[in-house]
Amino acid sequence: MRFAKLAAPFKFAPTQVAVLTIILYAIAFGSVLIQDEPRDIPKDTLGLDVNRAFDALSKITTGPHPYISHKNDAVRNYILSRLKPLAARHDHVKISNDLTSNVTYTARGSYVVYFEGTNVLLKIDGTGPAHDGVLFSCHYDSVSSAPGATDDGIAVVTLLEMAEYLSAPERRPRRTAIFFFNNGEEDQLNGAHAFFEHPWSNLTSVFINLEGAASGGRPLVFRTTSYGPTSSLHSRLVKHPHGTVLTSEAWSTGMIRSATDYEVYARGVEGEAAGLEGFDFAFYKNRAYYHTLRDSISGMGHNGARKAIWAMLETVRGAGLTLLNDDHPGTDTTKPVYFDVLGRTLVLLPLNSLYLGNIVLLVLGPLSTIGLLVWVILTAKKRSVLAEMEAIPASHEEPRWRTVVKGLLGWERFWIALIVAILAHVGLSVGFLKLNPNIVHSHAYVVLSIFLGLSFLALVLPIQALHYILPSTFASQKLTVTLSLYFFTWTLLVMATVALSKQYGSLYWVTLFNLGAWLAAALELIRAGRRRDPGNEMGSYSFLFTSPEERQARAEGVVPGRRLVRGVRYEAPEHADENTEGHANGQPGQEESAIVETEPTEITPLIHQHRRQTEGGGEYLTVDPPENVKVVAKPADEYGWWIAQMLLLVPAVAVLLFQLEVLLLNATMHTLVDGSPPATVYFILALFSTLIFLPITPFAHKLPQSLNIVVAGILILLLAISWTVFPFSQQWPFRIYFQQFVELASPTSGLAINPTQGMQSAPVEVVRAETTITGLKGYVDRYIVPDIPSARHSDVVCDSNGLRPDLMTCTWTSDLLPSPGGTNSSLASEWLDVRPMRLNGTRAVISLRGQNTRGCRLYFDRPINFVYVHQPSDDEPLPAPAPAPSPVPFEKMHMQGGYEMPKDGVKEVRLWGRTWDKTFLVEVGWEAGGEAGDEELTGRAACEYAEYASALGGPESGRIPAYEEVKQFLPLWALPTKNADGLAEVWTKFRA
C-alpha cells in the first residue's frame, strides 16, 4: 500500500500525464515569452552610462532628420560635439569629418547614384598592428516621416557611448576600432558606399552594423557573414545573446526584401577592397511603428527606450571587446549554425560539424532502433514458446487476413493524426483569409493561441478516438506512436541534412528533435524487451505472440490445468492420464480441445452454470448469464518510463520551436500592411504549432477529456473574437505611404511666394499637383481617402497596381502646394533651375539645381550608358547661354567596383549633394541608334523635399501642407509614412 502511494505520481495515468504535459508546456511557453521582453537595467552597467545615452537620444530625435533636411545637419553637429573632445583629450583617438568622399555606383542594377558624403568617423588606435581593425557602424539620418529613435537613434547613442568607453587609456583595445556614423543610409545605403572611399576603410576586417527595422524591444542578430564574427556573440562577455541562423538565411534567400549597410560591407568593392566579415544587430519587434512618428522615445513606452538602449549596449560591448582583444581577429569564414537558448547562451558550431552529426544520427539511429526491435521480437517469441508448453488449450485460430489487419492497428494513428492536423490548419487558415486576414496585425498572440490550441486538439483527438474504437493488439499504442514519431523525425533529419549539404542550417532544431525521439523510442523498446513483449491495449501479451487462450488466461487469471466439462468444473489431477490430458511428457497430444465427460459427484455445482466464449476465442463458465458478464482486460501499469520519455521529447523541442515561432510572428505580423501575403504568416503559425505538439502524440491517448474540453472552449471563444473584430487599432496602427508630385510647366519655372502671408499664390507655372496615398486595398480606398478634405473635392483614381508591390495607390489633384523654404535670396521664388545642353549626337550635359534641397533626380525616356558629374568651381547657376564643355572621355566615368553600369544602361540618376542649393552638372551619354545629331534626349528633372511644419523645422525649413492634411485627417488607427526619399517631388520635363 505504501509503495502504491509513493509510486502513484509516476503512474502512466490520465491525471499524471495531463499534469506533466501542462507543466512542461507552461514552462516552455512562459520562459520564451518572458525572455522575449527587454531586461531591466542592472545596477552595474559595466562602465557604460545609460542615462547619458538616453539624454543623447532625446537630443537627436526631436524630429525627423532625413538627408535632405536641415535637422540632419543639427544631428551631425551634435555627433561632432561629442567626438571632438575625445580626440582632443587622447593622442590615440583621431576624428575625421569627412566632407570629401564622393561615390558613383549603380543601385539594384536599375539606376545610378551620385553621392557626396557627410560621414563622421572616429578612430581609436589599438595597441597592436593597425590591420584587422573592427568597424562599428550606424547611420544618423532618419526617414522624413519618423524621428528615428530605433532607426537608427539607439545605434548612434550606443556608438557614442562605446567611443567614450574605449577612448579611456585604461580600456584602449588591442586592435584598432573605427566608429562610423554614416549619412544617407535611408536613401539606398549611400553612406556605406562612401566608406570605401575613405582611407580608414583599409584598416578594418570585421564589422558590427547596428540597425533598427522596427521600434524598440530586444535587438536581434539579423544576419552574419561567417563563424568568426559570430563567435564574438558566444563570448562570456555577451550575457544575453539573441539570434538564429534562420533569419540570416531568410535574408540570403531573398525572403526579406529590406536592405542594410551590411550588404555593402560584406560585399566590398571589386578590385579595390575585399568584403568584411561581420554581422547585423538590429531591432525587429513592433514594426507597426517603423518609419512613422511613433518610432520615438514615447513610442517605446515607459522606460522602454532605456531598456532598449541597454540591450544594444550590453551586447555591442561584449561582442566588440571580444573582437578587439581576442587572440583570433574574427575573420574565420567558416559557415556557422547558431541559435540562442532563452537569451542565456548562444549555441554555435560550424555547419560542417552539424552535417557530420546528422550523418551519424541518420545511420546509428535506425540501426540501433532496428536492433532493439529485433531483440523485443526474439524475447517475445521465446516467452511465447515457453507459454505453449503450458497446459492452455488452443481452441481458436484466426484467419491470416484478420491477423494482418490487427497487426497494422496502432501503426497508422500517428499519421492519421498528422493528416488531420494538416487539414485542420488548412481550414483554419482559409477561415482567417476569408473572414479577417489582417487580424494578426493587432491580435497576434490571440491568433497564435488559436493555432496552438487547434494543433493540440487535432493531434490528440484522432489518437484518442482510434485508441477507443480500435485498440492496438500487436503492440502498445505508446510503442507504435513513439516509433512512428521517430520515423517522422528521421525523415525530417534527411531533409535537414540535404539542406546542410547546400549550406543551409535553419533546420538545426530537427537534430535535437530526432535525438529526443530516438532516445524515447529506445527507452520504449527497452521497456518492451524487459517485459518480453511489445504489449497491447487489451491487458494481455501481444496478439502476435500469444494464443487467444493464453491471453484470456492472463486477463482472467485462469489456473493452468482447468478443464471445461458439461455442467461440471473441477480441477484436473496432477497426474492425469495422457489420453485424458491430451499431453505426453509435456508435449501436445491429440484432441487438445476435446471436452471431458464426467459423472456428477459430490463437487458438482448445484447452481446452474453458463458456457461463455471470449473475444479471443476461448470458453469458460459463469454462474451469470453471458449477457450480464463481460471480462475487461486491464493493461499492465507503467511507472516512470513515460516521464523520462516526455522529458526527452517535449522541453527542448518546445522551447526551440516556440522561440522561432514567436520570433517569426513578431517579425512578420506587421508586414501585411506593406503588401506581404497573410497566408505566409498563417503558414508559419500552422507549421510551428503542429511541430510543437507532435512530441505529446505517444502520450495523447492518456490525456483526459476534460483537458480537451477546456482547450476547445478557449479555442471557440478566441475564434469568435478574432474573426469579428477590426484588425487595426491605435496601439497597432495601419500604415499608409504618402507622396506628392508637383509638375512644373517649363525647365525654368518658379512658384511665387507671398512673403507677408507665407502662402503660395496661384502660379500658372504649375501644371498639376497630385497627392498619392498607397496602402492595402479595401482600407485605403474605403476608410482613408474619403475622409481627406482635398480628396472629397477631386476625382480620385485608385490603381490596384500601385507605387509599391501588392498595394493600391489612390491619386487626386490638390491645390495644397509645397513650399521649399530656404534663405538664398537669389532663388527666393524658384523651385528648379534645369538647363540641358547637347554636346554631340550621343552626349548631353544637364545642369540641375533645386531650391533648399540637396537631393535631385534625372529620369530619362531612353537608357543611358554613361554618367559623369562635373565639379564646378562654385554653386552658381550656369550663365545663359553657357558654352558647352567638351565631352568627357568614356574611360573617365568611374563607378565603384562591383556596381558598374549595366550593359543595357539605366533610365534614372539620383543626385545627392552635401551642400544646399547645389548645382549638379551631369554629363550623360547613350548608344547611337540613328543619324548623329538627330536623336533627342528627353526626360524629367526632379528635386526632392522632406521638411514640413509639424516636424518642428527651423525658419529655413520647407512646408508640405498636403502631408499635414493627410496626417490631420487620418483615423486614429492609421499612421503615415514616406513612400520615397522625398515626401514631395517637384519635376519638369526637359529636352536636349
Side-chain angles (χ1 to χ4, degrees), residues 394-405:
S395 60
H396 178 77
E397 183 175 349
E398 292 183 342
R400 181 177 296 274
W401 67 267
R402 189 172 181 182
T403 302
V404 173
V405 171

Side-chain angles (χ1 to χ4, degrees), residues 747-749 827 830-835 847-850 877-878:
T748 305
S749 54
L827 291 176
E830 293 184 357
W831 275 104
L832 301 177
D833 184 6
V834 184
R835 304 187 184 189
S847 172
L848 171 61
R849 184 174 189 171
L878 294 176

Side-chain angles (χ1 to χ4, degrees), residues 137-210:
S137 175
C138 68
H139 66 89
Y140 66 85
D141 62 312
S142 76
V143 295
S144 53
S145 54
T150 303
D151 184 18
D152 199 23
I154 292 179
V156 171
V157 301
T158 294
L159 294 195
L160 287 175
E161 196 58 35
M162 283 297 297
E164 295 265 5
Y165 179 86
L166 290 173
S167 64
E170 65 273 15
R171 299 194 188 102
R172 185 177 176 182
R174 178 179 173 182
R175 296 185 180 88
T176 296
I178 304 292
F179 292 93
F180 182 47
F181 303 84
N182 79 70
N183 201 5
E185 187 272 351
E186 298 290 358
D187 309 315
Q188 195 54 48
L189 317 179
N190 296 331
H193 280 280
F195 170 73
F196 285 102
E197 305 300 315
H198 193 280
W200 289 356
S201 63
N202 60 12
L203 301 178
T204 58
S205 58
V206 181
F207 70 89
I208 298 177
N209 183 53
L210 306 185

